[in-house]
Amino acid sequence: ILDAPDFDRQGALQSHLRILRQRKERLDLLIGTVEHTLLKEKGEIVMSDKEKFEGLKRELTEENDRLYGREAREQYGAESVDSAQRNLMGLSPEGFQGWQELDQRLRKGLCDAVRGGKDPAGAEGEMLARLHREWLTILMPDCDDARQRGIAELYVMDERFTAYYDGETSGCAQFLRDAVEAYTRGEG
């Protein structure tokens, strides 16, 4: 690659530098949180609820990035992933709770639909696909039909996502993918 005449060495270095700076920023935040937690553990300070909440969001963001970050950046681009992470970090406690409640409603609805033998292209499937879109747009306000389909497709292609949705009832990931497909293509 380095010897290829069309290789953009400066562009590659700039991209690499951007990624390294993002990692450094995340590490600096993590170091600060651990230092702060150590002081709390020693009884030297008391963490406020806001600090605990910010730490929870950071942990969630870092865990998600560790598990899916590289793949998500390859699939959707670094700016899209970074934007979703910023949106998560910007959620208020109420907004974060609402986002989690939407996820719980979606997963419960999927279990009920699969157990009830509902049609993903039917009314129940459309309602769940809309709920899924609502959940996605909290972190990705620009989520469109194609992106929602792409994300839902990952739920059946990647065993980690499948395990998340099928944890309680097998077939939920497939139902959601099929419901999103029908909803976004106007087949429902």
Side-chain angles (χ1 to χ4, degrees):
I1 292 174
L2 294 174
D3 293 332
D6 61 340
F7 178 69
D8 181 5
R9 185 174 171 85
Q10 279 189 346
L13 287 170
Q14 287 173 339
S15 175
H16 187 63
L17 181 60
R18 180 180 43 78
I19 291 167
L20 289 172
R21 284 186 174 145
Q22 289 169 348
R23 286 182 188 165
K24 180 184 180 292
E25 183 179 313
R26 283 194 293 268
L27 280 174
D28 287 343
L29 284 171
L30 188 56
I31 288 168
T33 300
V34 171
E35 289 172 340
H36 200 83
T37 303
L38 281 171
L39 291 172
K40 179 200 161 284
E41 293 292 320
K42 292 177 185 177
E44 296 177 23
I45 61 166
V46 176
M47 287 179 93
S48 69
D49 287 342
K50 181 179 181 188
E51 289 171 317
K52 290 176 189 175
F53 175 65
E54 292 304 316
L56 170 71
K57 289 190 300 186
R58 247 191 320 276
E59 286 176 25
L60 180 63
T61 300
E62 289 167 2
E63 176 72 5
N64 189 57
D65 199 54
R66 184 181 65 75
L67 292 172
Y68 311 112
R70 182 181 55 79
E71 296 162 84
R73 282 176 175 77
E74 289 172 3
Q75 179 89 18
Y76 301 107
E79 179 51 39
S80 181
V81 173
D82 294 343
S83 175
Q85 288 179 343
R86 283 190 303 274
N87 289 338
L88 173 63
M89 291 303 295
L91 289 176
S92 67
E94 298 79 19
F96 184 78
Q97 181 178 350
W99 181 66
Q100 288 187 311
E101 287 172 0
L102 279 173
D103 181 58
Q104 291 169 357
R105 283 179 44 210
L106 175 62
R107 289 189 295 135
K108 182 185 180 319
L110 287 167
C111 288
D112 292 347
V114 169
R115 289 178 189 151
K118 301 292 184 183
D119 178 7
E124 188 78 13
E126 180 177 345
M127 184 273 298
L128 290 167
R130 287 178 185 270
L131 189 61
H132 179 249
R133 175 72 69 92
E134 183 180 348
W135 178 76
L136 287 173
T137 57
I138 289 173
L139 299 186
M140 295 182 290
D142 60 343
C143 185
D144 59 11
D145 289 351
R147 179 166 288 175
Q148 185 181 12
R149 276 194 307 275
I151 290 169
E153 186 66 34
L154 288 174
Y155 299 160
V156 295
M157 292 177 59
D158 188 314
E159 61 195 29
R160 296 167 297 180
F161 288 113
T162 303
Y164 177 78
Y165 283 103
D166 286 7
E168 193 175 319
T169 303
S170 183
C172 289
Q174 183 71 48
F175 186 96
L176 181 54
R177 195 287 307 264
D178 294 348
V180 167
E181 182 72 22
Y183 166 65
T184 60
R185 297 206 189 271
E187 299 166 8

